[in-house]
Amino acid sequence: MDRRRLVVIDRDNMGEGSEELGAKLMGSFLRKLCSPETRPEAMLFYNSGVKLLAEGSAVLDALETLEKHGVDLVACGTCAGYFGIRDSMVVGRISDMAEIVSRLLTSDSVVTV
């Protein structure tokens, strides 16, 4: 069965509490997604999650691997503009809320991190 899985990243770290620990957890999570059995069809990035796609991100290796294997990395354009990273994005592409809403409503499975 071909399932359309979507992962939503709405912040630049994972969980509440220590930001340092949250950054390590996010890196571990993204690297685990790189294996064929866990790769989603697409990943949506909004709010501070868009920072993960830009220069200086500690998780670019994982995101580049995911993109190379066909995972569609979609950044919220409003968010990228707000954080001033439109021109420094290394991976992914910029889109809009219309696509984000459409992807959320048509995916078989949505996981928000």
Side-chain angles (χ1 to χ4, degrees):
M1 174 170 47
D2 185 23
R3 293 181 44 97
R4 293 179 306 175
R5 294 179 291 193
L6 178 70
V7 173
V8 174
I9 307 283
D10 63 3
R11 57 194 308 167
D12 58 355
N13 60 52
M14 192 173 187
E16 296 292 328
S18 166
E19 287 189 29
E20 182 181 352
L21 176 59
K24 287 181 181 182
L25 293 173
M26 181 64 78
S28 179
F29 175 80
L30 291 172
R31 288 177 184 93
K32 297 297 181 202
L33 282 183
C34 291
S35 66
E37 59 274 355
T38 57
R39 267 195 303 262
E41 173 187 352
M43 298 177 72
L44 303 180
F45 296 81
Y46 54 84
N47 209 321
S48 65
V50 298
K51 294 178 181 180
L52 298 173
L53 303 168
E55 289 175 2
S57 167
V59 297
L60 286 175
D61 61 320
L63 294 172
E64 287 170 339
T65 298
L66 288 164
E67 189 172 55
K68 181 178 87 174
H69 288 290
V71 177
D72 190 14
L73 306 178
V74 182
C76 165
T78 300
C79 304
Y82 178 84
F83 289 109
I85 62 162
R86 279 181 172 269
D87 295 330
S88 64
M89 284 182 51
V90 176
V91 294
R93 63 183 177 83
I94 292 177
S95 190
D96 57 21
M97 193 55 70
E99 180 179 1
I100 290 171
V101 168
S102 176
R103 299 291 289 260
L104 286 169
L105 295 177
T106 59
S107 291
D108 295 329
S109 173
V110 176
V111 175
T112 302
V113 177

